[in-house]
């Protein structure tokens, strides 16, 4: 929902319907989504709230996730007072009494993880949030928060694509498997570079993806999503398209099956050096 914007309620509903009709049921938004689109803070949540208001049954057909903790000009605040405010404000904009998943968008170095844990526990007990997760946390920050939380962390949300391998290198995917956390991969198409490669490295990665895509009759972008999904941590690619046809096309990722040799060929192209 990062680019979910505008005043056209019918167009907004068409995007939601395109996802649901394709079997995509996880909707990931955030309170900060808005300013990047030239709109106000919370605009994306507010637009989705209008979609819900027009069809009260729609909310129950999805897993609704949002994020908070980014404050323009600060830039991060995970203090108890702010997180309580942020959660309530998101619920108000969305027009719902709870979200299925609430995530800290960026780590706030100045808040002790024990304070964060207490705040999330209180919101969970109050029925405002169903599960808790983190986004852009390091492995150490994930482990520190987990230590103080009475419930398990449900998700971690790193940048991950065939061009961004940090979660593999850092051990975040391994920790996710050990802790049974869902991995929500943002920017799974490398910020658009997989669709429009420029460097030699990007072209090599796309060529390796295309060889598999052509065999299954799908787009390179669908192959790129499936490459992420093939990891045993079972990452969920967060599809950012705001075009109904491309949202539907993303479901083609389920058609692809990777051999080990093909999967490692993409990894090797991205690393730009052979594996040991």
């Amino acid at each position: 929902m990062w680019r979910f914007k505008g005043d056209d309620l019918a167009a907004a509903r068409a995007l939601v319907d395109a996802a649901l009709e394709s079997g995509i049921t996880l909707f990931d938004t955030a309170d900060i989504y808005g300013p990047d689109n030239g709109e106000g803070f919370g605009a994306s949540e507010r637009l989705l709230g209008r979609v819900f208001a027009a069809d009260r049954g729609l909310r129950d057909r999805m897993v609704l996730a949002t994020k908070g903790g980014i404050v323009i000009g600060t830039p991060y605040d995970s203090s108890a007072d702010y997180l309580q405010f942020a959660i309530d404000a998101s619920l108000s904009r969305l027009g719902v009494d709870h979200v299925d998943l609430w995530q800290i968008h960026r780590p706030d170095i100045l808040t002790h993880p024990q304070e964060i844990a207490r705040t999330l526990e209180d919101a969970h007990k109050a029925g405002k949030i169903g599960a808790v997760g983190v986004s852009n946390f390091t492995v150490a920050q994930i482990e520190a928060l987990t230590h103080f939380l009475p419930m398990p962390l449900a998700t971690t949300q790193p940048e991950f694509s065939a061009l961004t391998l940090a979660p593999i290198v850092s051990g975040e995917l391994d920790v996710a498997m050990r802790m049974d956390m869902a991995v929500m991969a943002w920017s799974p198409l490398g910020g658009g570079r997989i669709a429009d490669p420029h460097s030699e490295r990007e072209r090599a990665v796309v060529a390796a993806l295309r060889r598999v895509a052509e065999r299954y009759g799908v787009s390179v972008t669908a192959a790129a999503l499936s490459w992420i999904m093939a990891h045993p941590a079972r990452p969920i690619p967060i599809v950012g398209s705001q075009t109904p046809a491309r949202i539907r096309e993303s479901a083609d990722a389920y058609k692809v099956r990777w051999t080990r040799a093909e999967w490692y060929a993409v990894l090797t192209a991205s690393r730009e050096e052979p594996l040991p």
Side-chain angles (χ1 to χ4, degrees):
M1 313 298 286
W2 182 20
R3 301 298 188 188
F4 194 63
K5 63 179 180 178
D7 264 339
D8 189 335
L9 189 60
R13 174 61 190 264
L15 295 172
V16 172
D17 286 342
L20 291 173
E21 290 164 4
S22 302
I24 298 168
T25 56
L26 172 59
F27 286 73
D28 176 60
T29 187
D31 57 11
I32 193 64
Y33 294 167
D36 284 345
N37 301 322
E39 299 184 331
F41 190 90
S44 179
E45 289 182 325
R46 197 171 288 110
L47 178 58
L48 186 56
R50 290 177 58 206
V51 174
F52 290 154
D55 183 348
R56 292 295 180 183
L58 197 60
R59 162 68 183 92
D60 295 332
R61 297 174 59 194
M62 65 178 64
V63 176
L64 179 60
T66 193
K67 302 181 287 293
I70 297 179
V71 182
I72 295 174
T74 298
Y76 312 130
D77 190 345
S78 290
S79 65
D81 287 345
Y82 183 75
L83 290 192
Q84 290 165 6
F85 164 79
I87 291 169
D88 288 342
S90 285
L91 294 177
S92 177
R93 284 187 291 265
L94 289 164
V96 300
D97 57 9
H98 80 283
V99 292
D100 302 301
L101 172 65
W102 195 86
Q103 303 155 99
I104 299 173
H105 205 153
R106 294 272 178 179
D108 174 20
I109 298 167
L110 294 178
T111 301
H112 195 290
Q114 188 172 37
E115 180 179 351
I116 297 172
R118 277 200 223 98
T119 307
L120 296 177
E121 181 183 8
D122 289 345
H124 177 72
K125 287 180 176 178
K128 297 178 181 180
I129 60 178
V132 297
V134 295
S135 180
N136 303 296
F137 272 45
T138 67
V139 170
Q141 289 165 340
I142 290 170
E143 291 176 337
L145 181 55
T146 299
H147 175 77
F148 293 104
L149 270 175
M151 76 279 276
L153 270 180
T155 61
T156 180
Q157 189 167 159
E159 181 178 5
F160 180 39
S161 72
L163 294 174
T164 303
L165 306 177
I168 294 177
V169 178
S170 70
E172 185 171 355
L173 298 186
D174 303 290
V175 167
M177 289 186 287
R178 178 168 66 84
M179 295 183 176
D180 195 25
M181 290 187 293
V183 177
M184 297 168 62
W186 65 268
S187 200
L189 300 178
R193 291 173 293 150
I194 286 175
D196 185 22
H198 293 285
S199 70
E200 183 177 342
R201 171 182 177 247
E202 291 165 5
R203 287 190 288 270
V205 168
V206 170
L209 290 167
R210 183 175 288 112
R211 284 192 287 272
V212 175
E214 289 176 348
R215 190 167 83 249
Y216 286 94
V218 302
S219 67
V220 170
T221 56
L225 298 179
S226 72
W227 186 84
I228 294 170
M229 295 160 65
H231 190 281
R234 295 293 180 261
I236 303 164
I238 304 300
V239 178
S241 176
Q242 298 299 295
T243 304
R246 289 189 177 179
I247 292 172
R248 294 187 181 96
E249 179 188 277
S250 67
D252 285 345
Y254 290 110
K255 298 177 181 179
V256 181
R257 294 293 179 269
W258 290 84
T259 67
R260 272 178 163 73
E262 290 166 339
W263 194 92
Y264 277 115
V266 175
L267 181 69
T268 301
S270 186
R271 282 166 45 91
E272 296 186 288
E273 61 181 5
L275 289 162

